[in-house]
Amino acid sequence: MALKTLEINQTWVERMLRLAESPWERAAVEQRFVDYGWMRPGEVLDWFGGACAPHVITGSDDGIGYRLELEAADDSGRPEIVGVRLACALFWPPSGQEVDEDEEDELDGDYTSEWVRFPDARREAFEAEYVRLRALVAAELGEPDKEEPDEQSDRTALWRRPEFIVELIVMDDVNTYSYYDVILLRVARSW
């Protein structure tokens, strides 16, 4: 069993919330990315929707660091920005999968040193990371409006505001073809 976490602190949460409060226009969202150092000025992002949405990877170039997943709805060739997800923690093996004691986390080498590793962590440590992250968001927004599993997640805490939503989600990590379970902090526009 293995747990990997990023050092997501109150500053990261505040930045994601400021991003959610931005106008949901490409120029405004990308300007926040530049302001936070998540991308370089003049860099062009390829926004599109789908399970394998493009990523902005911050930090070192030797693997996967902080990973921001971009969501957009593509109507008539002009994507409309929908949301941004930040992967915060990964757990192997995913829920419901049993592994032999001799098996190892084969994808561990794909992640940079920005990921703090707990190679012998139990599932309870992953759950504790969810609770820690939930408390960081709740410190800004209060208790979630709803918290339960849904059709895509094992657990989701939802904060709804007039212009945006914030979700803390535990689910299969689509980017690794469900090799890991992931905790995502997602900000998105309200519909």
Side-chain angles (χ1 to χ4, degrees):
M1 301 198 185
L3 171 66
K4 286 184 257 311
T5 65
L6 287 168
E7 295 193 43
I8 305 299
N9 56 24
Q10 199 67 40
T11 300
W12 270 96
V13 170
E14 289 169 2
R15 286 179 173 180
M16 290 292 285
L17 296 179
R18 297 306 77 79
L19 181 63
E21 293 169 349
S22 297
W24 283 100
E25 299 165 359
R26 186 177 182 142
V29 171
E30 289 182 1
Q31 185 58 53
R32 290 276 186 183
F33 276 44
V34 170
D35 293 345
Y36 297 154
W38 297 346
M39 64 183 265
R40 294 178 298 282
E43 186 176 349
V44 176
L45 298 179
D46 181 22
W47 292 82
F48 66 89
C52 294
H55 299 157
V56 174
I57 309 244
T58 67
S60 52
D61 294 329
D62 62 343
I64 300 168
Y66 287 86
R67 180 180 78 203
L68 294 149
E69 302 170 10
L70 314 177
E71 300 176 38
D74 192 357
D75 293 335
S76 68
R78 207 180 142 130
E80 181 180 2
I81 296 172
V82 175
V84 176
R85 297 180 303 254
L86 171 64
C88 301
L90 298 166
F91 188 79
W92 175 84
S95 183
Q97 180 182 335
E98 294 186 27
V99 296
D100 293 334
E101 289 182 29
D102 298 335
E103 286 186 59
E104 294 182 14
D105 176 2
E106 294 176 7
L107 298 183
D108 186 55
D110 295 347
Y111 293 85
T112 67
S113 60
E114 291 161 320
W115 289 87
V116 179
R117 289 157 170 81
F118 303 93
D120 297 319
R122 306 304 259 174
R123 186 83 187 177
E124 294 80 19
F126 184 66
E127 293 296 326
E129 184 64 5
Y130 173 89
V131 170
R132 185 188 76 80
L133 293 165
R134 183 189 179 286
L136 291 176
V137 178
E140 296 293 320
L141 299 177
E143 287 300 306
D145 298 306
K146 182 169 97 172
E147 188 168 17
E148 59 190 28
D150 62 26
E151 64 275 355
Q152 294 182 347
S153 72
D154 295 335
R155 187 174 187 183
T156 298
L158 170 70
W159 291 264
R160 190 178 306 278
R161 298 297 180 265
E163 299 297 320
F164 64 91
I165 62 169
V166 175
E167 295 176 296
L168 188 62
I169 307 165
V170 176
M171 63 184 291
D172 290 342
D173 183 33
V174 174
N175 294 293
T176 59
Y177 300 98
S178 301
Y179 186 80
Y180 294 109
D181 280 346
V182 64
I183 300 173
L184 295 168
L185 177 58
R186 178 179 183 260
V187 296
R189 64 187 294 181
S190 280
W191 295 101

